[in-house]
Amino acid sequence: MPLHTPHFAHDGDRPPRNGHSTPKPPKGVPPVPPRGPGGAPPVPRGNRTQATAPHLPRRVAELPPAHSALICVALPGLVISTDQGQLTGRGLEGFYRAGRRVLSRCQVRVAGREPLAVQACMIGADCARFVGTVHAAPDVGPDPDVVVERLRSADGTERIILHSAASRPLRLPVEVSLATDLAELAAVASGNSGPELSATVHDSGLRWSCDKGDCAVMAAPPPADALASAGLLRWEMELPPGGTRSVELRLRPDGAAPVRAVGHGATSPFAEARAAGDDPRVQPLLRTCVEDLQALLLRDLARPSDVHLAAGAPWRCGPAPADCLAAARMTLPLGTRLAAGTLRILARTQLAGPGLRSGMIPGPRRDAGRHVPPGCTGTDATLLFPVLLAEAWRWGLPEREAQELLPVAENCLRWLRTTVGDGVYLPDPQPHGPLRCETQAHAHRAAVLGADLLHAWGRPGGPELREWAEELRGAFCADFWIEGQAGGRPAAARTRDGRLVPHLGAGAAHLLDTGLLGSGALAPGLLDKVRTEQLARLLGDPVMDSGWGLRGLGATEAAYNPFGHRGGAVRVQETAVAVAGLAAAGHEKEASALLVGMLSAAEEFGYRLPEMFAGEPRVEGVAPLPHPAACRPAATAAAAGVLLLTALAGIRPDAPARTVTLCPVRSAPLGEIVLTGLRVAGAPFSVRVGRLGLATVEEAADGLQLGV
């Protein structure tokens, strides 16, 4: 079952705050701000005064720090530990299942002592290893004679292994203290988890029950003693010299059998891709990103064959439509199964019936920083839906599946045209929200790719979308570009009375993400060549490029905060979007600098990229500063790692036409790189980019031709 963890305020997601009556969205889907009558009126172009949008008060939530935790994920299972290994019940520590903490305390004592923690590390997305030492005999000197190894998995198992280094047999008492509060993660995060529950002896372990649910822990081998009042299991272990003994603990929430993680199913939506080359970091990055994506998979209850991604752990283990779609799009080189499942799941949430919201994919509001009010992720999701469908079809989504989803995409595009009405721009949120720069980029991309999709399938509506997209292109540079002596820059937003919000942020990178059309061609963007060159210079400047990645807000802006999740922190997804967009536009110097910086950051984070980290400038010998409230793993960050590496090859498929075009990064910033096991047109695809920037296809589907 999917986790029902709420969206916490650290990412700014929130329900709408207004008094309008709105249609009730499908169960489990957060509501979307309603729109008033009428479409979006056109924006007057006469007044171009620069101004900051009104600042709205924001709810603040104090979240426990998660940046130093070891988080094992295999949804619906999750376990959060510190590097000490013991689960004490403090903070976020514990095993979770479907958003509930089913075990809060698991403390081990050997020979009456707690092991001295010496190492803690992740050995997979779903498993952590902890090593401690114990002086079991009183006369061994400074050297420990017992090593205690603990393997802790998100599926609810923990294996405790004792290794003897003593020269004589040892007889050791081993005690495990267990407890739970069966609290929801939201309550744990807010410090309201409640008291520990009383245990009863159950089978070969302990059991806890309350009105919240039930949980049992069973041990193998069975303990010699079980003391319910103290929550204690006890064994007498005999270890020969150099010998090993172990105990395995298994959690059973609600007395049920173990729930197999979605990512551990027999069939994965991701191809078994590999990366190799001159830079040894490419393979661990790709491997870790795919492992994290597998760990975040959720199955749809209405149709279990469909899977999608949770937004991230520990805070956002539930569905987030815009993040689901963005991550599925970035992972298209690994196959189209995730995209198909995500599209089908979200299609079932599309709002129908009469009303101005008809056709929207619902989503919560998201904080947009200090300059503009919160935006609606439902807008992002609705615009991303036809884009993902169009591009997934180009990558090889079967025609039958694409055709089934086409009416949903048409409804999204109809909503776009209805909402814009007689105007030029799309407000967000509707109807009186500001005109955000990146929203116009998303809307333009949806219109162009949507029109291409409709034309390919012989459906009406394409010419009207192209006509509006051309009008938007013609107006955008006049209305959103702030001229200046250094070449100018795009405004972050435009208020409804025509004033510009002049701040430069990473959202401008979305202007470079124009989308893929047929025959390997990229869609036109909102910027002309001269302004694209200027934006590339701005994104490559140290004001924006921290050396580790792209800042969410320029360092010289008055509102800059290196930890601001929309005000200066490096967001991995936007850096990857910038790298891919800059490379596609031919600005390889700036793309390469951002790519190399992000790869260095990934190495510092053990290749498990967080959704964001501090935008402090890179200093030699100093690691990037983690954000204490960032999700790690995060779907968009893990998917961004896939995009960063595949962008080097510039793969542009057109599976319906049986062609693939390669536009590699000619400067080869990582030297030679070989990507194998990708998927194009439903078959394995491998490509090599040499040190001279030339790309060679080494494996492809039968009949797939190399385009020009």
Side-chain angles (χ1 to χ4, degrees):
M1 69 181 70
L3 299 183
H4 298 294
T5 307
H7 294 270
F8 287 92
H10 86 282
D11 194 55
D13 291 345
R14 71 190 68 197
R17 289 186 279 184
N18 52 56
H20 297 288
S21 174
T22 63
K24 186 176 181 181
K27 184 178 180 181
V29 179
V32 179
R35 297 189 293 109
V43 176
R45 301 183 192 172
N47 184 355
R48 298 179 52 79
T49 305
Q50 298 179 8
T52 300
H55 176 78
L56 296 183
R58 289 172 174 81
R59 176 170 56 91
V60 177
E62 291 292 337
L63 296 176
H67 65 284
S68 59
L70 282 77
I71 302 176
C72 304
V73 186
L75 296 182
L78 175 74
V79 58
I80 304 174
S81 316
T82 71
D83 60 4
Q84 297 302 298
Q86 301 277 39
L87 295 179
T88 65
R90 293 190 290 267
L92 296 171
E93 295 176 43
F95 283 87
Y96 295 81
R97 174 64 55 83
R100 185 180 299 281
R101 184 159 68 177
V102 291
L103 190 69
S104 57
R105 182 155 52 86
C106 183
Q107 294 175 283
V108 174
R109 292 174 65 88
V110 177
R113 302 175 179 87
E114 287 198 13
L116 175 67
V118 295
Q119 188 183 73
C121 65
M122 299 291 298
I123 58 175
D126 62 341
C127 187
R129 178 177 182 260
F130 305 91
V131 179
T133 60
V134 173
H135 290 80
D139 55 350
V140 296
D143 301 328
D145 52 356
V146 175
V147 175
V148 182
E149 180 183 9
R150 302 172 71 171
L151 300 176
R152 184 172 296 152
S153 300
D155 64 359
T157 63
E158 176 157 342
R159 192 176 179 211
I160 304 165
I161 309 165
L162 276 63
H163 305 274
S164 173
S167 58
R168 59 184 178 82
L170 296 175
R171 184 178 179 86
L172 302 174
V174 177
E175 297 176 341
V176 179
S177 177
L178 303 168
T180 187
D181 48 25
L182 290 177
E184 295 283 352
L185 177 56
V188 176
S190 62
N192 298 316
S193 58
E196 292 181 348
L197 303 175
S198 299
T200 58
V201 176
H202 173 75
D203 197 4
S204 58
L206 299 173
R207 185 172 184 269
W208 299 265
S209 297
C210 70
D211 55 0
K212 302 175 185 177
D214 304 277
C215 179
V217 173
M218 283 164 283
D225 298 297
L227 185 60
S229 60
L232 192 68
L233 304 180
R234 191 175 186 277
W235 295 260
E236 287 288 338
M237 295 284 187
E238 294 186 0
L239 276 75
T244 298
R245 294 290 184 269
S246 66
V247 170
E248 185 169 271
L249 305 175
R250 288 189 173 273
L251 276 166
R252 297 289 187 271
D254 299 316
V259 178
R260 187 172 180 81
V262 176
H264 291 176
T267 57
S268 168
F270 304 114
E272 295 184 2
R274 298 286 185 272
D278 292 340
D279 195 315
R281 299 173 294 181
V282 297
Q283 173 53 22
L285 174 60
L286 183 59
R287 182 187 67 246
T288 304
C289 286
V290 175
E291 286 179 356
D292 283 347
L293 291 167
Q294 293 270 25
L296 291 169
L297 284 172
L298 292 172
R299 196 178 303 282
D300 186 47
L301 295 179
R303 186 172 172 178
S305 60
D306 289 340
V307 295
H308 66 295
L309 290 166
W315 311 119
R316 306 176 69 210
C317 291
D323 287 354
C324 289
L325 290 163
R329 182 174 177 237
M330 289 188 284
T331 57
L332 284 173
L334 303 180
T336 61
R337 280 194 57 209
L338 177 65
T342 301
L343 289 168
R344 282 193 290 265
I345 290 168
L346 293 180
R348 293 191 277 273
T349 73
Q350 188 174 47
L351 301 180
L356 296 174
R357 299 178 66 219
S358 177
M360 282 199 78
I361 305 295
R365 288 193 176 185
R366 172 182 291 158
D367 185 39
R370 295 175 59 183
H371 335 298
V372 287
C376 178
T377 61
T379 301
D380 296 342
T382 308
L383 297 174
L384 264 172
F385 191 101
V387 169
L388 178 58
L389 178 58
E391 292 189 333
W393 182 53
R394 297 293 178 192
W395 278 88
L397 181 69
E399 289 199 1
R400 176 183 57 81
E401 297 182 48
Q403 191 169 18
E404 289 175 354
L405 291 161
L406 193 58
V408 184
E410 287 181 292
N411 289 336
C412 292
L413 296 169
R414 190 175 298 113
W415 170 86
L416 169 60
R417 289 297 296 124
T418 301
T419 305
V420 171
D422 295 330
V424 178
Y425 300 114
L426 178 67
D428 178 40
Q430 300 84 34
H432 303 303
L435 308 176
R436 305 171 198 269
C437 173
E438 62 188 88
T439 300
Q440 312 317 311
H442 296 330
H444 179 266
R445 182 182 61 202
V448 175
L449 269 65
D452 189 58
L453 185 67
L454 296 177
H455 174 76
W457 286 88
R459 306 292 279 260
E464 292 81 3
L465 286 167
R466 288 195 182 95
E467 182 181 351
W468 173 74
E470 290 176 4
E471 184 181 2
L472 178 60
R473 273 199 304 276
F476 183 84
C477 286
D479 289 338
F480 276 82
W481 193 264
I482 302 171
E483 299 292 351
Q485 292 182 348
R489 56 173 160 172
R494 187 178 175 90
T495 63
R496 298 314 304 273
D497 61 0
R499 293 175 297 160
L500 295 178
V501 180
H503 308 282
L504 177 64
H510 292 278
L511 291 167
L512 303 171
D513 181 13
T514 61
L516 179 66
L517 298 175
S519 303
L522 293 180
L526 288 176
L527 298 181
D528 57 27
K529 183 178 179 181
V530 173
R531 290 183 174 90
T532 299
E533 291 176 353
Q534 173 62 8
L535 179 58
R537 285 192 290 270
L538 292 171
L539 297 181
D541 190 275
V543 170
M544 288 298 297
D545 182 359
S546 70
W548 299 112
L550 194 65
R551 293 185 176 96
L553 186 67
T556 57
E557 301 286 350
Y560 169 72
N561 172 5
F563 285 95
H565 67 278
R566 300 282 172 183
V570 173
R571 297 185 67 86
V572 174
Q573 175 190 356
E574 288 172 332
T575 299
V577 166
V579 169
L582 288 166
H587 300 285
E588 295 189 358
K589 177 183 176 182
E590 293 82 2
S592 298
L594 287 170
L595 170 65
V596 171
M598 182 56 65
L599 190 58
S600 298
E603 184 179 20
E604 295 290 345
F605 283 110
Y607 300 103
R608 172 178 264 190
L609 284 164
E611 62 177 327
M612 60 182 169
F613 53 89
E616 292 282 7
R618 184 172 179 176
V619 177
E620 188 68 29
V622 178
L625 294 175
H627 193 294
C631 284
R632 183 170 175 255
T636 53
V642 178
L643 177 60
L644 285 168
L645 296 180
T646 55
L648 290 168
I651 307 168
R652 301 179 188 175
D654 188 352
R658 306 300 293 174
T659 64
V660 61
T661 303
L662 299 178
C663 298
V665 177
R666 299 287 184 179
S667 59
L670 304 183
E672 183 178 73
I673 183 171
V674 182
L675 300 170
T676 59
L678 304 176
R679 293 194 75 82
V680 173
F685 183 84
S686 300
V687 61
R688 179 188 300 270
V689 180
R691 297 181 183 91
L692 298 179
L694 300 177
T696 305
V697 175
E698 299 195 335
E699 183 182 22
D702 292 340
L704 193 67
Q705 301 294 316
L706 190 63
V708 179

